[in-house]
Amino acid sequence: MKIIELETYEEMSQLAAQIIIQKVREHPTTVLGLATGSTPSGLYEKLVQDHVHNMTSYKEVNTFNLDEYIGLAETHEQSYHTYMDKNLFSKINLRKEQTHIPKGDAVDHLIEAQKYEERIQQAGGIDLQVLGIGKNGHIGFNEPGTSFSSRTHVVDLTPSTRQANQLFFNSLDEVPKKAISMGIATIMESKEILLLISGTSKNDAYKRLLHGAIDEQFPASILKRHPKVTVIRCQSPKQF
Ligand code: GLP
């Protein structure tokens, strides 16, 4: 893993954006893997600014998001569909058909997970995957104990993850208990990975990632086996 430590959230977002912009400019048909949460929103802001000022085009890009809550309609305020539309998709030249996010309101979630995995394979896999990390080491919504050989699947969210994400909902009760997430093997097949870690609340997770063993109890630890991972770490969190 290549580790880059920066001071501010702004610098982290700027560097992550530069890496993506360069990739898309060199390879206009790039398949991007995208993440949600507080951490990557600054990156998306930078991509939008660049699109407006430098006209980087996403006309031929395809995107696949890591995950979606089960039980939320696409239009729900806290769905990852809404997050992506608000933060990125509606602000750059990406048509709906180019973007992919698991359907949290699918009739059969198991089939939806399987279909999503197939869609990723049909697109030729992910070229560059953006990741955040949970305090417990989760990547996507792959919670501790998830098999390293998992493919896109239905997951039960841990109480700690639901609590961490409560911030975006009115109450804990409203936070979904399940999600559809790319599996760990799916993520590991990405040709390149960009892991963003911001804020002191992630100190323990960051230390464990750097110094801990590769262990299914800490999902992000598998990234140490990937040949092309860049970790960008900043101490300061996003300023709301
Ligand atoms: C969420 C998402 C992850 C994200 C993580 C950290 O549960 N499913 O993809 O990386 O939590 O989120 P944040 O960046 O808000 O700390």
Side-chain angles (χ1 to χ4, degrees), residues 35-40 66-67 80 132-134 138 140-141 161 165 168 202:
T36 48
S38 322
T39 310
L66 282 168
D67 45 19
Y80 287 162
I133 187 172
H138 75 233
F141 265 137
T161 295
N165 290 357
F168 304 103
K202 303 281 172 71

Side-chain angles (χ1 to χ4, degrees), residues 69-70 155-158 162 172-179:
Y69 290 115
I70 284 182
V155 299
D156 291 315
L157 302 179
T158 61
R162 291 185 63 240
L172 186 59
D173 278 356
E174 285 184 21
V175 185
K177 296 195 170 74
K178 286 177 183 284

Side-chain angles (χ1 to χ4, degrees), residues 34-41 66-69 80 83 130-135 138-143 157 161-162 164-165 167-168 179 181 195-198 201-202 240:
L34 300 176
T36 48
S38 322
T39 310
S41 60
L66 282 168
D67 45 19
E68 178 60 286
Y69 290 115
Y80 287 162
Y83 172 103
V130 177
L131 289 181
I133 187 172
K135 287 184 206 161
H138 75 233
I139 47 175
F141 265 137
N142 294 292
E143 298 283 25
L157 302 179
T161 295
R162 291 185 63 240
N165 290 357
L167 165 76
F168 304 103
S181 177
L195 171 63
L196 306 181
I197 310 181
S198 74
S201 68
K202 303 281 172 71
F240 282 97

Side-chain angles (χ1 to χ4, degrees), residues 57-122:
S57 175
Y58 295 83
K59 211 172 94 193
E60 296 173 276
V61 165
N62 269 285
T63 68
F64 284 88
N65 265 76
L66 282 168
D67 45 19
E68 178 60 286
Y69 290 115
I70 284 182
L72 301 191
E74 285 187 19
T75 51
H76 188 285
E77 221 194 330
Q78 297 310 333
S79 76
Y80 287 162
H81 279 81
T82 300
Y83 172 103
M84 290 309 302
D85 275 340
K86 262 197 200 160
N87 286 282
L88 187 67
F89 295 163
S90 64
K91 298 180 175 169
I92 60 175
N93 62 330
L94 260 178
R95 283 167 293 115
K96 177 112 174 131
E97 311 86 80
Q98 295 167 260
T99 67
H100 307 83
I101 305 181
K103 290 184 185 18
D105 57 354
V107 180
D108 188 326
H109 302 117
L110 295 176
I111 291 180
E112 171 60 13
Q114 204 184 330
K115 275 196 197 151
Y116 195 72
E117 179 73 29
E118 284 165 14
R119 268 178 247 144
I120 295 171
Q121 305 306 330
Q122 280 158 10

